[in-house]
Amino acid sequence: MKLNYETLQDKAQWEKEGFELPKFDIKQIKENTLKNPTWVHFGAGNLFRAFIANVQQDILNKGKSDKGIIAVEGFDYEIIQKTYQPMNNLGVVVTLKANGDIDKTIVGSVVESLVLNSAEKSSWDKLKQIFSAPSLQMASFTITEKGYSLQDAQGEYFASVENDFKNGPEAPVSYIGKVTSLLYTRYLANKAPIAMVSMDNCSHNGDKLFSAVEAYAKAWEKNGLVEKGFYDYITDKDTVSFPWSMIDKITPRPDEKVKVMLQKSGFDDVETIITSKNTFVAPFVNAEEAQYLVIEDWFPNGRSNLEEAGIIFTDRETVDKEFDLEAIGVSLELHKEIMKDETIREVLMPEYSSIGYSYNISSYPTDIPEIRKAMSYAVDKEVIAPISEPGMVAGDMYSLGLPPSLTSNYVDETFLDTLEKYTYDIDTATELMESIGWTKDGNMWVDQNGESPEIVIGTIGEWTATLVTGEAISEMLKDFGFNVTFKPMEVVTFYEFANSGETNLAVDFYPSSVSIQHPYEAYNSLWGVAPRMGIDLPGYGEKFEFVNPESGETFDWGEKTELLFNANTHEETTELVKEFMQFSNDMVLSMPITEKFIVTRIHNPKLVLAEVEMGTPVLDYYWTQGKNYHLAKMLRDGKLYFISSFHYTYVKYRE
């Protein structure tokens, strides 16, 4: 069965194979929409298809709307050209339910698909016509947080942005430049109100979209490229709004097992397409059932009744609170329900969470210390951190093996100044490559044999933070001249692949695989990630030793971690931490990228954890190690008797 309007006429065949079909007249909905459009969406990827388009489908099925969505893609035009238009904009959503059931839904709520390309007259003219329509209520976006960024790491505007600032709204080339040009079209046509709704998973997302659009409006008006009054139109809160929202939906790339399942159902259009921009798309999307979207109710031209499909509209303060709760693993509604029970109290454990990439120190060419150092210098961590996940800051720049939030408890700047700091420095990276005899052949680094060995970077493709960091690292290393292969994959597949030793860089949470509060936990966690670093673990009674590539001295990791565990004073701990830091800095076992610190919050005076101020060391081992250790100790000691949830922990305490 092919996916198009014609084959949908044979409803019996589709329903026999278990597909749920649209319960509305698609052609009539399309006619209504194009005549009086109300909703255009930018970012036609998997999240849009699996969640947002499916929400509107639900409302249409209930007969609560008579209009669909116009989908627009501005980054990768092949998504529209290869997976939308050939299928009459239809798509299949495969929902993996918590009870193991699988739903197969043909989504027909997308009635038009266009590319955001000012050079393609047909699409551009249609978009201008859509934005001129007084009926248009909302333009929504899922273009990732980096889609709103106009500047590079040095704070300089990208060339495409600079050019659009100078050339005006006639033929923009940058993404937000094209969006702002369409808003100017609306301004010239009728100055009608509209809501610009970012649905990307980043805190205060509406502000990010507003700041980007405002920059163009300000530059164009300043340069005399638009009518005076356009900037006021953009910034008038009663005319153009930029609501905040919070979204939660996991939509991995098309899964091979789902593809096979669909083929067995007689569905033919299942081939995954890898576009020239390395986007993985298919006529179907697969996702888990859980989903959540909360939007600030700020729509100056009216809005769709999305609450009919479970979307929550509320005030800005609640959206902000919702984002905080979502980031730690619980919904606002669940939080409210649980807190009705007065015997339940909330506990949020402290966590120093780090995302980094472990080097395989046994696999060529990352077995060469100079290569590891050059790679660390060639990646701009300060650019990657803010776009990886809300609340993330740049991680450990020294490759110390300790989260930055704890570093100042043991050493000061004087000590750190004696170490190498792996900040972004292409010149130093180049010097390191040349020091071992590597040379440039065109844009590629080659070794003494004239070869450019493959560097495999593996990451978890299902998690936004790991996918974004892995992709960014890969692109930066390619730009520097390394022969990089980037391999995002499912969690289970990733760990099996990484531990096989086939990667040169693998995403990891070393040194924060638990809620780190003591350096022993950080350095002891090397044992858990050793296989993907190409490190052979010692047998019983054997030493766990390394040779420092700088000094040539032997460093007994096993002995040092035991001494660190048994250190009785802060001074003893500090001296051992300095040894670990020096060795880790010389060895460069990992490339830390980000850190996020979550504070302790306790809403129960009868349930007290260690009374420690944020950023100070915890010396009592009762309160060290991860959350599970804390809770296990309290259960053992009769301090509590019920635990629920994941990051955000609810407990019933004993009187």
Side-chain angles (χ1 to χ4, degrees), residues 498-563:
N499 290 335
S500 71
E502 294 181 54
T503 62
N504 296 95
L505 265 180
V507 71
D508 230 318
F509 303 97
Y510 169 78
S512 65
S513 54
V514 293
S515 302
I516 301 299
Q517 295 184 73
H518 192 281
Y520 165 75
E521 298 166 80
Y523 293 118
N524 191 55
S525 67
L526 181 68
W527 293 79
V529 297
R532 71 201 61 163
M533 290 183 171
I535 298 171
D536 292 328
L537 291 172
Y540 181 76
E542 297 177 349
K543 290 183 176 295
F544 190 23
E545 294 179 332
F546 300 89
V547 175
N548 188 318
E550 297 289 329
S551 66
E553 297 177 354
T554 298
F555 186 86
D556 192 327
W557 193 281
E559 180 185 57
K560 298 290 184 184
T561 50
E562 185 176 352
L563 289 171

Side-chain angles (χ1 to χ4, degrees), residues 432-481:
L432 284 162
M433 298 297 291
E434 292 174 345
S435 73
I436 56 172
W438 285 49
T439 56
K440 273 287 185 79
D441 181 4
N443 293 322
M444 298 290 289
W445 284 104
V446 296
D447 59 17
Q448 296 91 332
N449 298 320
E451 297 177 350
S452 183
E454 181 184 34
I455 293 175
V456 177
I457 299 179
T459 196
I460 299 168
E462 295 162 286
W463 300 344
T464 302
T466 53
L467 179 63
V468 169
T469 53
E471 185 176 29
I473 290 169
S474 299
E475 291 303 314
M476 289 179 181
L477 293 177
K478 286 179 184 177
D479 289 343
F480 180 62

Side-chain angles (χ1 to χ4, degrees), residues 298-339:
W298 181 19
F299 290 79
N301 201 29
R303 63 168 172 80
S304 301
N305 54 341
L306 299 181
E307 63 269 27
E308 295 285 350
I311 306 306
I312 297 171
F313 290 94
T314 185
D315 56 45
R316 174 166 290 198
E317 182 181 355
T318 304
V319 173
D320 204 25
K321 169 69 173 175
E322 178 68 9
F323 198 96
D324 288 341
L325 289 172
E326 187 273 339
I328 52 178
V330 64
S331 74
L332 184 63
E333 294 305 311
L334 176 61
H335 168 78
K336 288 177 180 177
E337 282 299 311
I338 290 178
M339 294 314 293

Side-chain angles (χ1 to χ4, degrees), residues 111-252:
V111 299
E112 176 70 287
S113 58
L114 303 166
V115 295
L116 184 64
N117 183 359
S118 60
E120 186 170 311
K121 190 175 187 312
S122 176
S123 275
W124 190 243
D125 285 348
K126 286 180 181 178
L127 281 168
K128 291 171 75 173
Q129 183 179 359
I130 291 163
F131 267 78
S132 297
S135 59
L136 186 64
Q137 297 174 326
M138 172 169 66
S140 55
F141 298 80
T142 49
I143 60 175
T144 75
E145 186 174 4
K146 64 183 178 182
Y148 310 113
S149 178
L150 309 183
Q151 298 172 316
D152 62 19
Q154 288 70 44
E156 300 293 330
Y157 285 111
F158 296 120
S160 60
V161 175
E162 282 278 18
N163 289 335
D164 283 350
F165 281 175
K166 294 173 183 175
N167 297 329
E170 288 304 312
V173 293
S174 61
Y175 201 121
I176 301 298
K178 287 179 273 193
V179 171
T180 310
S181 174
L182 292 171
L183 280 173
Y184 186 56
T185 297
R186 188 170 184 80
Y187 170 80
L188 292 176
N190 45 39
K191 300 182 178 62
I194 188 172
M196 307 290 286
V197 187
S198 169
M199 295 181 179
D200 281 298
N201 187 23
C202 53
S203 182
H204 302 178
N205 46 19
D207 288 353
K208 289 177 171 61
L209 175 56
F210 169 73
S211 296
V213 170
E214 182 196 29
Y216 285 89
K218 185 181 291 185
W220 288 346
E221 194 162 302
K222 179 182 177 182
N223 295 333
L225 298 168
V226 295
E227 289 184 4
K228 283 196 174 297
F230 177 55
Y231 180 79
D232 291 339
Y233 170 74
I234 292 296
T235 56
D236 183 348
K237 295 181 179 181
D238 294 328
T239 306
V240 182
S241 69
F242 295 84
W244 293 3
S245 70
M246 193 290 294
I247 193 167
D248 184 15
K249 178 76 170 181
I250 298 174
T251 50

Side-chain angles (χ1 to χ4, degrees), residues 214-466:
E214 182 196 29
Y216 285 89
K218 185 181 291 185
W220 288 346
E221 194 162 302
K222 179 182 177 182
N223 295 333
L225 298 168
V226 295
E227 289 184 4
K228 283 196 174 297
F230 177 55
Y231 180 79
D232 291 339
Y233 170 74
I234 292 296
T235 56
D236 183 348
K237 295 181 179 181
D238 294 328
T239 306
V240 182
S241 69
F242 295 84
W244 293 3
S245 70
M246 193 290 294
I247 193 167
D248 184 15
K249 178 76 170 181
I250 298 174
T251 50
R253 67 175 55 176
D255 186 87
E256 189 68 23
K257 294 176 184 175
V258 174
K259 170 185 169 180
V260 172
M261 181 269 293
L262 290 172
Q263 284 177 316
K264 289 180 179 178
S265 298
F267 181 51
D268 296 324
D269 291 321
V270 295
E271 292 307 318
T272 299
I273 296 164
I274 305 175
T275 70
S276 58
K277 291 195 174 182
N278 205 36
T279 306
F280 287 71
V281 289
F284 71 90
V285 291
N286 43 262
E288 295 178 3
E289 184 178 22
Q291 59 189 34
Y292 210 63
L293 176 58
V294 182
I295 306 174
E296 179 185 2
D297 200 352
W298 181 19
F299 290 79
N301 201 29
R303 63 168 172 80
S304 301
N305 54 341
L306 299 181
E307 63 269 27
E308 295 285 350
I311 306 306
I312 297 171
F313 290 94
T314 185
D315 56 45
R316 174 166 290 198
E317 182 181 355
T318 304
V319 173
D320 204 25
K321 169 69 173 175
E322 178 68 9
F323 198 96
D324 288 341
L325 289 172
E326 187 273 339
I328 52 178
V330 64
S331 74
L332 184 63
E333 294 305 311
L334 176 61
H335 168 78
K336 288 177 180 177
E337 282 299 311
I338 290 178
M339 294 314 293
K340 289 178 182 177
D341 184 340
E342 293 184 358
T343 67
I344 296 179
R345 294 295 182 266
E346 307 163 276
V347 181
L348 178 59
M349 297 296 181
E351 179 182 349
Y352 300 89
S353 179
S354 177
I355 294 178
Y357 283 73
S358 300
Y359 287 108
N360 186 330
I361 63 172
S362 297
S363 178
Y364 185 72
T366 47
D367 59 338
I368 305 171
E370 288 82 0
I371 294 288
R372 300 197 296 271
K373 290 185 177 184
M375 291 171 71
S376 293
Y377 276 119
V379 171
D380 194 340
K381 279 78 79 175
E382 291 183 342
V383 170
I384 300 174
I387 64 173
S388 65
E389 188 178 34
M392 285 291 190
V393 295
D396 167 22
M397 293 292 183
Y398 296 88
S399 191
L400 301 174
L402 193 67
S405 292
L406 297 182
T407 298
S408 61
N409 294 327
Y410 303 98
V411 298
D412 56 21
E413 291 296 329
T414 304
F415 176 80
L416 293 176
D417 287 344
T418 66
L419 306 177
E420 274 197 81
K421 187 175 184 180
Y422 300 104
T423 50
Y424 183 61
D425 189 337
I426 293 298
D427 291 339
T428 301
T430 300
E431 290 172 9
L432 284 162
M433 298 297 291
E434 292 174 345
S435 73
I436 56 172
W438 285 49
T439 56
K440 273 287 185 79
D441 181 4
N443 293 322
M444 298 290 289
W445 284 104
V446 296
D447 59 17
Q448 296 91 332
N449 298 320
E451 297 177 350
S452 183
E454 181 184 34
I455 293 175
V456 177
I457 299 179
T459 196
I460 299 168
E462 295 162 286
W463 300 344
T464 302
T466 53

